[in-house]
Amino acid sequence: VPVGVQWGVGGAVAQKFAAEGFFTVLTTRTESNATGLLGAIREQGNEGMIVELDLSSQDSIANAFKTIRAEAGEPDVVIYNAGYLDGRELPADKELLEHVPVSILDTAIDVAIRGPFLVAQEVLPAMRKKGEGSFFFSNNSSSLRGRKRVTGKSPYYPRVMMRTLAQVLTE
């Protein structure tokens, strides 16, 4: 990632794929979340676009991929690097299960299993028909082992389902 640019793993991966000649589609719940990253990709002489996609909505996912297909074609590579809870971190004294709002669990499930399942339904048929394509999952290692505290971002444990989905799709 260029010095001074901070978009985490997703931003670094997006910039690398763009630098390798891929037209890069950034999906995000709100377009403004990715305008800086798209600007950096374009400043580096590469091409891309932003498409709004809300992982809690099947219609949003379907509409996002309809837009992607219309404007950029079928994806050759999909990198599922969705995060959650930004701005909703729990104070350390509220991370015990009895303090975690069910809405956070719902969001975690949408991001960790429902979202990747629905995205896979959108992209895998075309990849199979074409006989090529890649679908990568980015995950947090905290989802694979129990931890008392995950830097204020609980619960990550539904992401173990993402790993299982990735293994099933590989089969």
Side-chain angles (χ1 to χ4, degrees):
V1 177
V3 175
V5 179
Q6 299 297 320
W7 291 289
V9 171
V13 170
Q15 289 180 80
K16 178 63 175 168
F17 271 82
E20 294 294 325
F22 285 84
F23 182 86
T24 305
V25 178
L26 308 172
T27 60
T28 179
R29 195 173 338 118
T30 306
E31 185 173 349
S32 62
N33 292 340
T35 54
L37 177 55
L38 181 59
I41 287 170
R42 289 180 174 161
E43 285 174 17
Q44 296 162 15
N46 303 307
E47 296 182 44
M49 65 186 257
I50 299 170
V51 175
E52 289 187 350
L53 183 153
D54 181 347
L55 292 168
S56 69
S57 166
Q58 185 173 4
D59 288 340
S60 176
I61 293 169
N63 289 333
F65 279 96
K66 183 177 180 181
T67 298
I68 291 166
R69 286 184 195 98
E71 297 184 29
E74 290 288 351
D76 294 317
V77 178
V78 174
I79 300 167
Y80 191 93
N81 182 58
Y84 53 90
L85 303 183
D86 289 334
R88 295 175 60 188
E89 287 83 5
L90 299 171
D93 65 337
K94 296 293 182 187
E95 284 198 339
L96 296 175
L97 184 67
E98 59 267 28
H99 299 297
V100 176
V102 171
S103 63
I104 289 180
L105 176 64
D106 291 341
T107 299
I109 289 170
D110 285 341
V111 171
I113 188 63
R114 190 171 190 275
F117 177 87
L118 294 170
V119 169
Q121 284 187 324
E122 288 290 334
V123 300
L124 292 181
M127 288 180 179
R128 278 193 199 95
K129 184 176 180 180
K130 190 175 176 182
E132 61 185 30
S134 298
F135 189 165
F136 296 100
F137 292 85
S138 173
N139 205 341
N140 181 308
S141 63
S142 298
S143 67
L144 304 178
R145 61 191 179 329
R147 289 182 68 179
K148 181 177 179 184
R149 187 161 188 272
V150 186
T151 62
K153 295 187 176 196
S154 294
Y156 267 94
Y157 49 83
R159 287 192 175 228
V160 72
M161 294 182 285
M162 182 189 301
R163 179 183 172 124
T164 302
L165 177 64
Q167 291 170 331
V168 168
L169 294 176
T170 300
E171 295 282 323

